[in-house]
Amino acid sequence: QVVPAVLVPVGAGDGAMRLTHDGQADVLERLDFVLRNISELRREVEELRNSLQRLAAEIVGEVRSHLEETQKVTRRRRFPLPRERSDSTGSSSIYFTASSATANTDDGESEGGYTTANAESDYDRESEGESEEGEDEVSCETVRIARRDSLDLVSEDETHLILDSSLEEGLGQLLQQADRLHNGEEQEKREGFQLLLNNKLAYADQKDFLWRLARAHSDMCELTEDADERRSYASEGKEELEIALRKWDQSAECHQWYAVLCGQLAEHESIQKRIQTGYVFKEHIDKAIELKPEDPKSYYLLGRWCYQVSHLGWLEKKTASALFEAPPTATVQDALQNFLRVEELSPGFSKAGRVYIAKCYRDLGNNSAAVLWMNLASELPANTKEDAESERELEEMRSVLQE
């Protein structure tokens, strides 16, 4: 992963040391534009959320209506109306059950080989009008029972639980697939990014979904060669996490990937901006370690930050001193301790991590330890773009140390 390139020396004139009045106005105008867009986006998300809630209510209503109809038909068949036997098959008030064609001389056989259910009446009725009235009363009771039973089957709370359970199950499967694609080759990373984008409307209010979406933006930033596209991916991912952190400030992953995206975005900024981003990067990595102290990735990122700070050039140091009362400080020994912590938590975490350990030992003058970690790094495959770059550094170090 990329940490703020803030700390990599670049050419810059004295003009880069100051922010003019016009420059300040331009920055303020851009910030205002970004804030307006974020506000509009939040309104659109809220409207979408309301629409989804209405849709869910409609679905529940349809399911409940269907259950009522099903219960009504079922109860009519199980508990037919008590009435006198009628020989008329044309009556709409008679419930039939299929029977054999054998004639039944007892009560109940009707025309066409069907037998009326409960042909014997429990009550004597004096007229057909009383029968129809009784049928209406029982039918109403059947509907009431069906409605009550359907409500018992799908209560309001249970409806929400059913919907939530379904959403959680779908989200769990989605996140597993996203993790698998993230750890795959370039094409799989692209598929993972598109997969998460396609499901953003459904899970935009889920923490574990949002930080993975931001991580996918970081992946795309790494895979893209075009500078404008890289900036765009990093900026969009950072905005996703800015929204997430307002609600989930205690998420280690949100802080971790926010730091990564800040670093990627800073690659395209001035020295002042990159140094400022370095402070933000360190702040969020420290928070991620505080919240999740057993995550090796955070220590690796902190080690990268320490190593770059320890190698700040004269221009970067002067710029940092001019901008901040307390410029960033870190030593090669600080970086080494963090990289060794990564190996302690997850041996062989990354090829790049072991290369950095070798570089730290080399800088500290311990060439034998440097060679040892160079050999250990050679044992690991280059799984990422950063690993591939570190492999080239490894060859350069080997040639230098052999001389």
Side-chain angles (χ1 to χ4, degrees), residues 323-366:
L323 292 174
F324 304 98
E325 293 182 1
T329 58
T331 65
V332 173
Q333 188 64 44
D334 295 331
L336 178 60
Q337 290 177 359
N338 282 291
F339 289 128
L340 290 176
R341 177 62 172 159
V342 173
E343 284 292 322
E344 179 185 342
L345 292 171
S346 178
F349 177 77
S350 73
K351 188 183 191 75
R354 288 186 172 180
V355 171
Y356 267 103
I357 294 177
K359 290 166 67 175
C360 288
Y361 277 120
R362 178 202 61 188
D363 295 345
L364 293 171
N366 191 340

mmCIF file of all heavy atoms in Angstrom, residues 323-366:
data_model
loop_
_atom_site.group_PDB
_atom_site.id
_atom_site.type_symbol
_atom_site.label_atom_id
_atom_site.label_comp_id
_atom_site.label_asym_id
_atom_site.label_seq_id
_atom_site.Cartn_x
_atom_site.Cartn_y
_atom_site.Cartn_z
ATOM 1 N N LEU A 323 5.669 25.125 8.401
ATOM 2 C CA LEU A 323 4.216 24.944 8.453
ATOM 3 C C LEU A 323 3.713 24.524 9.827
ATOM 4 O O LEU A 323 2.597 24.875 10.218
ATOM 5 C CB LEU A 323 3.779 23.889 7.425
ATOM 6 C CG LEU A 323 3.918 24.272 5.953
ATOM 7 C CD1 LEU A 323 3.579 23.089 5.069
ATOM 8 C CD2 LEU A 323 2.999 25.450 5.617
ATOM 9 N N PHE A 324 4.514 23.792 10.575
ATOM 10 C CA PHE A 324 4.030 23.213 11.826
ATOM 11 C C PHE A 324 5.018 23.502 12.955
ATOM 12 O O PHE A 324 6.228 23.528 12.756
ATOM 13 C CB PHE A 324 3.845 21.694 11.683
ATOM 14 C CG PHE A 324 2.926 21.315 10.558
ATOM 15 C CD1 PHE A 324 3.439 20.929 9.327
ATOM 16 C CD2 PHE A 324 1.548 21.358 10.712
ATOM 17 C CE1 PHE A 324 2.597 20.576 8.294
ATOM 18 C CE2 PHE A 324 0.696 21.016 9.690
ATOM 19 C CZ PHE A 324 1.224 20.628 8.466
ATOM 20 N N GLU A 325 4.467 23.689 14.130
ATOM 21 C CA GLU A 325 5.309 23.949 15.287
ATOM 22 C C GLU A 325 6.149 22.726 15.635
ATOM 23 O O GLU A 325 7.284 22.850 16.090
ATOM 24 C CB GLU A 325 4.437 24.334 16.488
ATOM 25 C CG GLU A 325 3.715 25.663 16.317
ATOM 26 C CD GLU A 325 2.904 26.021 17.545
ATOM 27 O OE1 GLU A 325 2.933 25.224 18.520
ATOM 28 O OE2 GLU A 325 2.254 27.075 17.545
ATOM 29 N N ALA A 326 5.558 21.529 15.424
ATOM 30 C CA ALA A 326 6.271 20.288 15.744
ATOM 31 C C ALA A 326 6.365 19.435 14.478
ATOM 32 O O ALA A 326 5.431 18.695 14.162
ATOM 33 C CB ALA A 326 5.550 19.528 16.849
ATOM 34 N N PRO A 327 7.430 19.534 13.729
ATOM 35 C CA PRO A 327 7.600 18.731 12.510
ATOM 36 C C PRO A 327 7.586 17.242 12.851
ATOM 37 O O PRO A 327 7.936 16.846 13.975
ATOM 38 C CB PRO A 327 8.972 19.170 11.977
ATOM 39 C CG PRO A 327 9.225 20.491 12.616
ATOM 40 C CD PRO A 327 8.572 20.429 13.950
ATOM 41 N N PRO A 328 7.210 16.387 11.897
ATOM 42 C CA PRO A 328 7.176 14.942 12.159
ATOM 43 C C PRO A 328 8.580 14.406 12.423
ATOM 44 O O PRO A 328 9.545 14.820 11.778
ATOM 45 C CB PRO A 328 6.599 14.366 10.864
ATOM 46 C CG PRO A 328 6.913 15.379 9.819
ATOM 47 C CD PRO A 328 6.829 16.695 10.511
ATOM 48 N N THR A 329 8.689 13.531 13.375
ATOM 49 C CA THR A 329 9.979 12.923 13.706
ATOM 50 C C THR A 329 9.818 11.416 13.819
ATOM 51 O O THR A 329 8.826 10.927 14.365
ATOM 52 C CB THR A 329 10.536 13.478 15.027
ATOM 53 O OG1 THR A 329 9.594 13.230 16.077
ATOM 54 C CG2 THR A 329 10.816 14.963 14.925
ATOM 55 N N ALA A 330 10.791 10.694 13.310
ATOM 56 C CA ALA A 330 10.831 9.238 13.419
ATOM 57 C C ALA A 330 12.224 8.793 12.996
ATOM 58 O O ALA A 330 12.904 9.479 12.220
ATOM 59 C CB ALA A 330 9.766 8.590 12.552
ATOM 60 N N THR A 331 12.654 7.666 13.489
ATOM 61 C CA THR A 331 13.987 7.147 13.183
ATOM 62 C C THR A 331 13.876 5.824 12.435
ATOM 63 O O THR A 331 12.804 5.197 12.390
ATOM 64 C CB THR A 331 14.786 6.925 14.471
ATOM 65 O OG1 THR A 331 14.147 5.888 15.243
ATOM 66 C CG2 THR A 331 14.846 8.202 15.289
ATOM 67 N N VAL A 332 15.011 5.405 11.876
ATOM 68 C CA VAL A 332 15.057 4.099 11.211
ATOM 69 C C VAL A 332 14.764 2.998 12.232
ATOM 70 O O VAL A 332 14.108 1.993 11.907
ATOM 71 C CB VAL A 332 16.435 3.879 10.555
ATOM 72 C CG1 VAL A 332 16.563 2.461 10.008
ATOM 73 C CG2 VAL A 332 16.655 4.892 9.446
ATOM 74 N N GLN A 333 15.212 3.195 13.472
ATOM 75 C CA GLN A 333 14.943 2.207 14.517
ATOM 76 C C GLN A 333 13.444 2.095 14.787
ATOM 77 O O GLN A 333 12.923 0.989 15.000
ATOM 78 C CB GLN A 333 15.674 2.595 15.805
ATOM 79 C CG GLN A 333 15.614 1.540 16.903
ATOM 80 C CD GLN A 333 16.319 0.262 16.530
ATOM 81 O OE1 GLN A 333 17.414 0.284 15.987
ATOM 82 N NE2 GLN A 333 15.674 -0.868 16.801
ATOM 83 N N ASP A 334 12.719 3.216 14.769
ATOM 84 C CA ASP A 334 11.253 3.183 14.923
ATOM 85 C C ASP A 334 10.613 2.362 13.805
ATOM 86 O O ASP A 334 9.711 1.545 14.036
ATOM 87 C CB ASP A 334 10.681 4.598 14.896
ATOM 88 C CG ASP A 334 11.135 5.431 16.082
ATOM 89 O OD1 ASP A 334 11.403 4.844 17.149
ATOM 90 O OD2 ASP A 334 11.216 6.670 15.929
ATOM 91 N N ALA A 335 11.073 2.603 12.581
ATOM 92 C CA ALA A 335 10.537 1.872 11.438
ATOM 93 C C ALA A 335 10.810 0.382 11.585
ATOM 94 O O ALA A 335 9.916 -0.464 11.362
ATOM 95 C CB ALA A 335 11.156 2.398 10.145
ATOM 96 N N LEU A 336 12.047 0.036 11.991
ATOM 97 C CA LEU A 336 12.411 -1.380 12.136
ATOM 98 C C LEU A 336 11.531 -2.077 13.168
ATOM 99 O O LEU A 336 11.076 -3.209 12.951
ATOM 100 C CB LEU A 336 13.884 -1.481 12.546
ATOM 101 C CG LEU A 336 14.423 -2.896 12.793
ATOM 102 C CD1 LEU A 336 14.303 -3.746 11.536
ATOM 103 C CD2 LEU A 336 15.869 -2.842 13.277
ATOM 104 N N GLN A 337 11.278 -1.415 14.279
ATOM 105 C CA GLN A 337 10.444 -2.030 15.318
ATOM 106 C C GLN A 337 9.044 -2.334 14.802
ATOM 107 O O GLN A 337 8.464 -3.376 15.116
ATOM 108 C CB GLN A 337 10.382 -1.109 16.532
ATOM 109 C CG GLN A 337 11.686 -1.018 17.309
ATOM 110 C CD GLN A 337 11.603 -0.042 18.462
ATOM 111 O OE1 GLN A 337 10.580 0.600 18.687
ATOM 112 N NE2 GLN A 337 12.688 0.083 19.231
ATOM 113 N N ASN A 338 8.491 -1.437 13.999
ATOM 114 C CA ASN A 338 7.151 -1.678 13.448
ATOM 115 C C ASN A 338 7.159 -2.809 12.431
ATOM 116 O O ASN A 338 6.241 -3.642 12.408
ATOM 117 C CB ASN A 338 6.618 -0.392 12.815
ATOM 118 C CG ASN A 338 6.110 0.600 13.844
ATOM 119 O OD1 ASN A 338 5.104 0.380 14.499
ATOM 120 N ND2 ASN A 338 6.834 1.702 14.010
ATOM 121 N N PHE A 339 8.175 -2.877 11.588
ATOM 122 C CA PHE A 339 8.245 -3.953 10.601
ATOM 123 C C PHE A 339 8.454 -5.310 11.277
ATOM 124 O O PHE A 339 7.880 -6.321 10.850
ATOM 125 C CB PHE A 339 9.371 -3.687 9.595
ATOM 126 C CG PHE A 339 9.077 -2.555 8.655
ATOM 127 C CD1 PHE A 339 9.986 -1.514 8.486
ATOM 128 C CD2 PHE A 339 7.895 -2.524 7.929
ATOM 129 C CE1 PHE A 339 9.719 -0.469 7.620
ATOM 130 C CE2 PHE A 339 7.619 -1.477 7.052
ATOM 131 C CZ PHE A 339 8.530 -0.445 6.901
ATOM 132 N N LEU A 340 9.261 -5.334 12.340
ATOM 133 C CA LEU A 340 9.447 -6.590 13.079
ATOM 134 C C LEU A 340 8.161 -6.999 13.797
ATOM 135 O O LEU A 340 7.882 -8.195 13.946
ATOM 136 C CB LEU A 340 10.581 -6.429 14.100
ATOM 137 C CG LEU A 340 11.997 -6.314 13.500
ATOM 138 C CD1 LEU A 340 13.016 -6.057 14.604
ATOM 139 C CD2 LEU A 340 12.360 -7.570 12.714
ATOM 140 N N ARG A 341 7.387 -6.015 14.230
ATOM 141 C CA ARG A 341 6.089 -6.314 14.852
ATOM 142 C C ARG A 341 5.153 -6.973 13.847
ATOM 143 O O ARG A 341 4.390 -7.878 14.194
ATOM 144 C CB ARG A 341 5.478 -5.012 15.382
ATOM 145 C CG ARG A 341 4.090 -5.151 15.998
ATOM 146 C CD ARG A 341 4.086 -6.061 17.204
ATOM 147 N NE ARG A 341 2.793 -6.038 17.880
ATOM 148 C CZ ARG A 341 2.359 -6.984 18.697
ATOM 149 N NH1 ARG A 341 3.129 -8.046 18.938
ATOM 150 N NH2 ARG A 341 1.188 -6.894 19.275
ATOM 151 N N VAL A 342 5.235 -6.554 12.597
ATOM 152 C CA VAL A 342 4.434 -7.186 11.539
ATOM 153 C C VAL A 342 4.783 -8.663 11.428
ATOM 154 O O VAL A 342 3.901 -9.530 11.368
ATOM 155 C CB VAL A 342 4.674 -6.482 10.179
ATOM 156 C CG1 VAL A 342 3.985 -7.247 9.062
ATOM 157 C CG2 VAL A 342 4.165 -5.047 10.228
ATOM 158 N N GLU A 343 6.082 -8.966 11.408
ATOM 159 C CA GLU A 343 6.521 -10.365 11.300
ATOM 160 C C GLU A 343 6.123 -11.164 12.529
ATOM 161 O O GLU A 343 5.824 -12.356 12.435
ATOM 162 C CB GLU A 343 8.037 -10.413 11.114
ATOM 163 C CG GLU A 343 8.489 -10.044 9.720
ATOM 164 C CD GLU A 343 8.081 -11.094 8.694
ATOM 165 O OE1 GLU A 343 8.127 -12.303 9.005
ATOM 166 O OE2 GLU A 343 7.711 -10.698 7.571
ATOM 167 N N GLU A 344 6.109 -10.519 13.677
ATOM 168 C CA GLU A 344 5.691 -11.199 14.903
ATOM 169 C C GLU A 344 4.217 -11.588 14.845
ATOM 170 O O GLU A 344 3.835 -12.692 15.254
ATOM 171 C CB GLU A 344 5.957 -10.277 16.096
ATOM 172 C CG GLU A 344 5.533 -10.857 17.442
ATOM 173 C CD GLU A 344 5.707 -9.857 18.576
ATOM 174 O OE1 GLU A 344 6.455 -8.878 18.399
ATOM 175 O OE2 GLU A 344 5.071 -10.045 19.626
ATOM 176 N N LEU A 345 3.397 -10.692 14.328
ATOM 177 C CA LEU A 345 1.951 -10.947 14.264
ATOM 178 C C LEU A 345 1.593 -11.868 13.104
ATOM 179 O O LEU A 345 0.682 -12.696 13.217
ATOM 180 C CB LEU A 345 1.194 -9.617 14.116
ATOM 181 C CG LEU A 345 1.234 -8.676 15.316
ATOM 182 C CD1 LEU A 345 0.637 -7.322 14.950
ATOM 183 C CD2 LEU A 345 0.479 -9.287 16.492
ATOM 184 N N SER A 346 2.294 -11.712 11.969
ATOM 185 C CA SER A 346 1.964 -12.494 10.771
ATOM 186 C C SER A 346 3.237 -12.746 9.966
ATOM 187 O O SER A 346 3.568 -11.968 9.071
ATOM 188 C CB SER A 346 0.927 -11.746 9.922
ATOM 189 O OG SER A 346 0.624 -12.468 8.740
ATOM 190 N N PRO A 347 3.972 -13.803 10.302
ATOM 191 C CA PRO A 347 5.218 -14.092 9.580
ATOM 192 C C PRO A 347 4.982 -14.193 8.078
ATOM 193 O O PRO A 347 4.055 -14.853 7.631
ATOM 194 C CB PRO A 347 5.654 -15.440 10.168
ATOM 195 C CG PRO A 347 5.026 -15.483 11.525
ATOM 196 C CD PRO A 347 3.706 -14.776 11.368
ATOM 197 N N GLY A 348 5.836 -13.521 7.310
ATOM 198 C CA GLY A 348 5.677 -13.541 5.860
ATOM 199 C C GLY A 348 4.503 -12.719 5.389
ATOM 200 O O GLY A 348 3.910 -13.020 4.348
ATOM 201 N N PHE A 349 4.143 -11.678 6.143
ATOM 202 C CA PHE A 349 2.986 -10.844 5.788
ATOM 203 C C PHE A 349 3.115 -10.290 4.376
ATOM 204 O O PHE A 349 2.153 -10.266 3.622
ATOM 205 C CB PHE A 349 2.853 -9.713 6.801
ATOM 206 C CG PHE A 349 1.740 -8.745 6.498
ATOM 207 C CD1 PHE A 349 0.423 -9.084 6.757
ATOM 208 C CD2 PHE A 349 2.015 -7.498 5.954
ATOM 209 C CE1 PHE A 349 -0.610 -8.199 6.475
ATOM 210 C CE2 PHE A 349 0.995 -6.599 5.671
ATOM 211 C CZ PHE A 349 -0.319 -6.955 5.932
ATOM 212 N N SER A 350 4.308 -9.818 4.020
ATOM 213 C CA SER A 350 4.508 -9.314 2.667
ATOM 214 C C SER A 350 5.986 -9.322 2.311
ATOM 215 O O SER A 350 6.854 -9.216 3.185
ATOM 216 C CB SER A 350 3.952 -7.888 2.513
ATOM 217 O OG SER A 350 4.795 -6.958 3.172
ATOM 218 N N LYS A 351 6.255 -9.455 1.041
ATOM 219 C CA LYS A 351 7.624 -9.400 0.556
ATOM 220 C C LYS A 351 8.211 -8.018 0.794
ATOM 221 O O LYS A 351 9.362 -7.878 1.234
ATOM 222 C CB LYS A 351 7.625 -9.715 -0.941
ATOM 223 C CG LYS A 351 9.003 -9.875 -1.570
ATOM 224 C CD LYS A 351 8.870 -10.110 -3.060
ATOM 225 C CE LYS A 351 10.186 -10.542 -3.665
ATOM 226 N NZ LYS A 351 10.499 -11.961 -3.342
ATOM 227 N N ALA A 352 7.414 -6.979 0.532
ATOM 228 C CA ALA A 352 7.878 -5.608 0.718
ATOM 229 C C ALA A 352 8.268 -5.347 2.166
ATOM 230 O O ALA A 352 9.243 -4.634 2.455
ATOM 231 C CB ALA A 352 6.805 -4.622 0.270
ATOM 232 N N GLY A 353 7.537 -5.927 3.107
ATOM 233 C CA GLY A 353 7.843 -5.732 4.518
ATOM 234 C C GLY A 353 9.209 -6.270 4.882
ATOM 235 O O GLY A 353 9.970 -5.635 5.627
ATOM 236 N N ARG A 354 9.548 -7.439 4.368
ATOM 237 C CA ARG A 354 10.859 -8.012 4.662
ATOM 238 C C ARG A 354 11.973 -7.223 3.980
ATOM 239 O O ARG A 354 13.080 -7.100 4.522
ATOM 240 C CB ARG A 354 10.888 -9.468 4.229
ATOM 241 C CG ARG A 354 10.066 -10.371 5.141
ATOM 242 C CD ARG A 354 10.191 -11.832 4.811
ATOM 243 N NE ARG A 354 9.531 -12.654 5.828
ATOM 244 C CZ ARG A 354 9.472 -13.981 5.797
ATOM 245 N NH1 ARG A 354 10.034 -14.645 4.778
ATOM 246 N NH2 ARG A 354 8.865 -14.650 6.759
ATOM 247 N N VAL A 355 11.701 -6.697 2.795
ATOM 248 C CA VAL A 355 12.691 -5.857 2.119
ATOM 249 C C VAL A 355 12.963 -4.613 2.964
ATOM 250 O O VAL A 355 14.114 -4.166 3.099
ATOM 251 C CB VAL A 355 12.223 -5.477 0.705
ATOM 252 C CG1 VAL A 355 13.148 -4.427 0.089
ATOM 253 C CG2 VAL A 355 12.179 -6.713 -0.188
ATOM 254 N N TYR A 356 11.914 -4.040 3.547
ATOM 255 C CA TYR A 356 12.104 -2.858 4.391
ATOM 256 C C TYR A 356 12.925 -3.193 5.638
ATOM 257 O O TYR A 356 13.726 -2.374 6.112
ATOM 258 C CB TYR A 356 10.762 -2.251 4.783
ATOM 259 C CG TYR A 356 10.320 -1.162 3.854
ATOM 260 C CD1 TYR A 356 9.351 -1.390 2.895
ATOM 261 C CD2 TYR A 356 10.884 0.107 3.923
ATOM 262 C CE1 TYR A 356 8.944 -0.388 2.025
ATOM 263 C CE2 TYR A 356 10.495 1.118 3.066
ATOM 264 C CZ TYR A 356 9.521 0.861 2.109
ATOM 265 O OH TYR A 356 9.148 1.858 1.255
ATOM 266 N N ILE A 357 12.717 -4.387 6.196
ATOM 267 C CA ILE A 357 13.540 -4.782 7.352
ATOM 268 C C ILE A 357 15.012 -4.839 6.946
ATOM 269 O O ILE A 357 15.902 -4.364 7.677
ATOM 270 C CB ILE A 357 13.066 -6.148 7.901
ATOM 271 C CG1 ILE A 357 11.654 -6.013 8.489
ATOM 272 C CG2 ILE A 357 14.037 -6.661 8.955
ATOM 273 C CD1 ILE A 357 11.063 -7.321 8.983
ATOM 274 N N ALA A 358 15.266 -5.405 5.778
ATOM 275 C CA ALA A 358 16.645 -5.470 5.280
ATOM 276 C C ALA A 358 17.219 -4.072 5.079
ATOM 277 O O ALA A 358 18.392 -3.804 5.421
ATOM 278 C CB ALA A 358 16.671 -6.262 3.967
ATOM 279 N N LYS A 359 16.398 -3.161 4.547
ATOM 280 C CA LYS A 359 16.863 -1.789 4.335
ATOM 281 C C LYS A 359 17.167 -1.094 5.663
ATOM 282 O O LYS A 359 18.141 -0.332 5.777
ATOM 283 C CB LYS A 359 15.806 -1.000 3.549
ATOM 284 C CG LYS A 359 15.666 -1.443 2.109
ATOM 285 C CD LYS A 359 14.407 -0.901 1.457
ATOM 286 C CE LYS A 359 14.436 0.601 1.295
ATOM 287 N NZ LYS A 359 13.262 1.087 0.553
ATOM 288 N N CYS A 360 16.333 -1.351 6.664
ATOM 289 C CA CYS A 360 16.568 -0.741 7.982
ATOM 290 C C CYS A 360 17.896 -1.229 8.568
ATOM 291 O O CYS A 360 18.693 -0.433 9.095
ATOM 292 C CB CYS A 360 15.417 -1.073 8.924
ATOM 293 S SG CYS A 360 13.865 -0.203 8.568
ATOM 294 N N TYR A 361 18.123 -2.541 8.502
ATOM 295 C CA TYR A 361 19.378 -3.081 9.032
ATOM 296 C C TYR A 361 20.579 -2.535 8.247
ATOM 297 O O TYR A 361 21.634 -2.246 8.817
ATOM 298 C CB TYR A 361 19.356 -4.608 8.998
ATOM 299 C CG TYR A 361 18.643 -5.223 10.174
ATOM 300 C CD1 TYR A 361 17.531 -6.042 10.005
ATOM 301 C CD2 TYR A 361 19.095 -4.986 11.480
ATOM 302 C CE1 TYR A 361 16.885 -6.612 11.089
ATOM 303 C CE2 TYR A 361 18.445 -5.552 12.580
ATOM 304 C CZ TYR A 361 17.337 -6.362 12.371
ATOM 305 O OH TYR A 361 16.695 -6.911 13.471
ATOM 306 N N ARG A 362 20.421 -2.410 6.941
ATOM 307 C CA ARG A 362 21.492 -1.839 6.131
ATOM 308 C C ARG A 362 21.801 -0.408 6.572
ATOM 309 O O ARG A 362 22.966 -0.025 6.743
ATOM 310 C CB ARG A 362 21.101 -1.857 4.653
ATOM 311 C CG ARG A 362 22.118 -1.256 3.715
ATOM 312 C CD ARG A 362 21.458 -0.828 2.420
ATOM 313 N NE ARG A 362 20.432 0.198 2.648
ATOM 314 C CZ ARG A 362 19.596 0.633 1.702
ATOM 315 N NH1 ARG A 362 19.650 0.124 0.479
ATOM 316 N NH2 ARG A 362 18.705 1.573 1.992
ATOM 317 N N ASP A 363 20.739 0.386 6.783
ATOM 318 C CA ASP A 363 20.936 1.779 7.196
ATOM 319 C C ASP A 363 21.568 1.872 8.574
ATOM 320 O O ASP A 363 22.283 2.839 8.884
ATOM 321 C CB ASP A 363 19.598 2.525 7.190
ATOM 322 C CG ASP A 363 19.008 2.653 5.789
ATOM 323 O OD1 ASP A 363 19.748 2.418 4.812
ATOM 324 O OD2 ASP A 363 17.806 2.983 5.687
ATOM 325 N N LEU A 364 21.291 0.874 9.428
ATOM 326 C CA LEU A 364 21.849 0.862 10.779
ATOM 327 C C LEU A 364 23.251 0.250 10.813
ATOM 328 O O LEU A 364 23.862 0.165 11.880
ATOM 329 C CB LEU A 364 20.914 0.090 11.724
ATOM 330 C CG LEU A 364 19.544 0.741 11.987
ATOM 331 C CD1 LEU A 364 18.631 -0.213 12.738
ATOM 332 C CD2 LEU A 364 19.704 2.044 12.760
ATOM 333 N N GLY A 365 23.738 -0.192 9.642
ATOM 334 C CA GLY A 365 25.093 -0.739 9.568
ATOM 335 C C GLY A 365 25.212 -2.202 9.887
ATOM 336 O O GLY A 365 26.330 -2.734 9.990
ATOM 337 N N ASN A 366 24.087 -2.913 10.034
ATOM 338 C CA ASN A 366 24.117 -4.348 10.332
ATOM 339 C C ASN A 366 23.901 -5.116 9.029
ATOM 340 O O ASN A 366 22.794 -5.561 8.721
ATOM 341 C CB ASN A 366 23.032 -4.678 11.356
ATOM 342 C CG ASN A 366 23.165 -6.080 11.910
ATOM 343 O OD1 ASN A 366 23.812 -6.940 11.308
ATOM 344 N ND2 ASN A 366 22.534 -6.323 13.054
#
